[in-house]
Amino acid sequence: MLILGIESSCDETGVALYRGDGGDGGELLAHALHSQVAMHEDYGGVVPELASRDHIRRLIPLLRQVLADGRCALAEIDAVAYTQGPGLAGALLVGAAFAEALATALGVPTVPVHHLEGHLLSPLLSRRPPRFPFVALLVSGGHSQLMRVAGVGQYELLGETLDDAAGEAFDKTAKLLGLGYPGGPALAELAERGRRDEVQLPRPMLKSGDLDFSFSGLKTAVLTRVRELPTISDQQRADIARGFQDAVVDVLVGKSLRAVALSGLRQLVVAGGVGANRELRRQLDAAASRAGIVVFYPELEFCTDNGAMIALAGALRLQAGLAGKPAGAFAVRPRWPLTGS
Ligand code: KG4
Ligand code: ZN
């Protein structure tokens, strides 16, 4: 079963071909990505209209590329999976319209996929995949959630952020420190040069007793620190970045380990863009090995948005007998909770 996956929910156009074998031994044949970061950089954030127009420009060349790389013909595609939401409405519409039109022309079904389900399942693309059930820490630009994943389509929300997502907090704090867009990776790089404990920031909700998060106060704490300083040196900036990153990492590690302990499971999966953060990986690995837990990460290229995770989620949904539909009519879901929908 050959599945084409299309991702266009925000500022990355991703296309991929995944061959499912009906079991858990499928194979990613090819994937291609175009990031719009350079285009949005001048504006300090994603401009939705520009994002939509760029997805239109990129989809056909990326499709041609994956067909060539995967040595497949269009006619071999058995189903087209695409991100139905959540995300930017216009950007989602481009991917959805493209996928539905192509599937109609090919006479194959479509599989509308939840973007977060793609992230949740992305560690299954690794050479050493986790097995169901596992706990997932999903930390992206729009979401911070802890989930219990019992199988494909079986997700239980354990906790989530009450305000900003972890990636959003990274991006907003980066902006405060005068770093470019997207700020997360730049802030993480700066933090590597900062000194530990030079800037102490709160660990929001670490001891709240539940599995929820709150990150918006940290950004305000950083703003207060910056305002206290008459001028700011490169070292001070790095120390603040380090203080911020350490606080976020402490909270994410503490809550994730608690979620795993409460669930009685031994596997933790980390997904979403913030999962690329090196310090988070270092601290999680250390804490997990003390607790006898195994942590799984997607390959770095599959941490941030990509088409491969959508193709995979589409293949696994079809294999599980879920949610393929005849190509044609469609609607996108810019706001869409993963659980309870
Ligand atoms: O999963 P993703 O690509 O898109 C969403 O679905 O939101 O995540 C993007 C987020 C951005 O907020 C970005 O700043 C953050 O992930 N991010 C990082 C790192 N790499 C990406 N945050 C911290 N450290 C990183 N190394
Ligand atoms: Zn994402």
Side-chain angles (χ1 to χ4, degrees):
M1 189 173 47
L2 185 65
I3 311 294
L4 176 72
I6 309 255
E7 156 63 30
S8 72
S9 65
C10 189
D11 56 352
E12 254 115 25
T13 324
V15 180
L17 278 173
Y18 183 87
R19 194 182 295 285
D21 69 350
D24 48 9
E27 187 192 357
L28 181 65
L29 299 184
H31 74 103
L33 187 80
H34 175 78
S35 169
Q36 303 177 352
V37 162
M39 185 180 75
H40 297 296
E41 214 164 22
D42 293 346
Y43 305 93
V46 178
V47 184
E49 181 61 24
L50 294 183
S52 309
R53 292 182 198 194
D54 203 58
H55 288 307
I56 295 173
R57 276 194 291 272
R58 304 294 169 183
L59 277 168
I60 289 177
L62 290 175
L63 172 62
R64 290 212 167 100
Q65 189 182 330
V66 296
L67 288 170
D69 292 351
R71 295 172 196 279
C72 292
L74 261 186
E76 291 173 62
I77 292 171
D78 295 304
V80 182
Y82 64 90
T83 305
Q84 188 183 19
L88 300 171
L92 290 166
L93 277 170
V94 174
F98 181 86
E100 294 285 353
L102 180 63
T104 301
L106 294 174
V108 300
T110 51
V111 190
V113 169
H114 194 294
H115 180 79
L116 296 185
E117 179 170 39
H119 278 304
L120 273 186
L121 299 176
S122 60
L124 298 176
L125 288 166
S126 357
R127 264 163 269 123
R128 198 180 58 94
R131 297 207 158 261
F132 298 119
F134 52 77
V135 170
L137 170 69
L138 186 59
V139 271
S140 69
H143 295 85
S144 296
Q145 300 182 330
L146 278 159
M147 295 267 186
R148 185 181 196 281
V149 181
V152 177
Q154 298 170 44
Y155 313 117
E156 182 194 345
L157 184 65
L158 304 174
E160 65 182 333
T161 183
L162 305 178
D163 41 57
D164 290 353
E168 189 180 0
F170 263 92
D171 294 339
K172 287 179 175 172
T173 303
K175 210 168 200 173
L176 285 177
L177 292 176
L179 304 170
Y181 152 87
L187 182 64
E189 204 182 305
L190 182 61
E192 297 276 330
R193 299 200 295 276
R195 294 166 296 183
R196 184 164 191 88
D197 295 332
E198 196 62 31
V199 173
Q200 302 264 8
L201 295 175
R203 268 58 177 160
M205 294 186 68
L206 183 56
K207 301 261 154 45
S208 63
D210 56 21
L211 296 172
D212 289 333
F213 306 99
S214 165
F215 293 113
S216 72
L218 264 180
K219 168 195 65 195
T220 315
V222 167
L223 182 63
T224 311
R225 290 303 169 104
V226 171
R227 284 200 177 137
E228 277 166 10
L229 299 167
T231 58
I232 183 165
S233 69
D234 287 348
Q235 186 60 53
Q236 281 170 324
R237 205 189 302 272
D239 291 341
I240 294 175
R242 173 80 190 255
F244 168 82
Q245 178 169 271
D246 286 348
V248 174
V249 165
D250 269 4
V251 175
L252 292 176
V253 171
K255 297 266 174 169
S256 300
L257 266 86
R258 188 175 153 76
V260 176
L262 288 174
S263 68
L265 302 177
R266 306 227 67 85
Q267 299 177 101
L268 175 68
V269 157
V270 182
V274 182
N277 187 275
R278 280 208 293 268
E279 184 63 13
L280 175 64
R281 290 182 173 217
R282 276 196 287 265
Q283 297 302 332
L284 261 185
D285 286 342
S289 85
R290 284 194 297 272
I293 290 165
V294 189
V295 192
F296 297 83
Y297 305 95
E299 314 293 333
L300 271 180
E301 59 185 334
F302 301 135
C303 271
T304 47
D305 292 349
N306 64 86
M309 67 183 193
I310 303 302
L312 170 76
L316 295 181
R317 287 191 77 83
L318 283 177
Q319 275 171 210
L322 295 164
K325 71 166 197 64
F330 68 93
V332 294
R333 305 182 70 175
R335 290 175 175 275
W336 183 13
L338 179 57
T339 50
S341 59

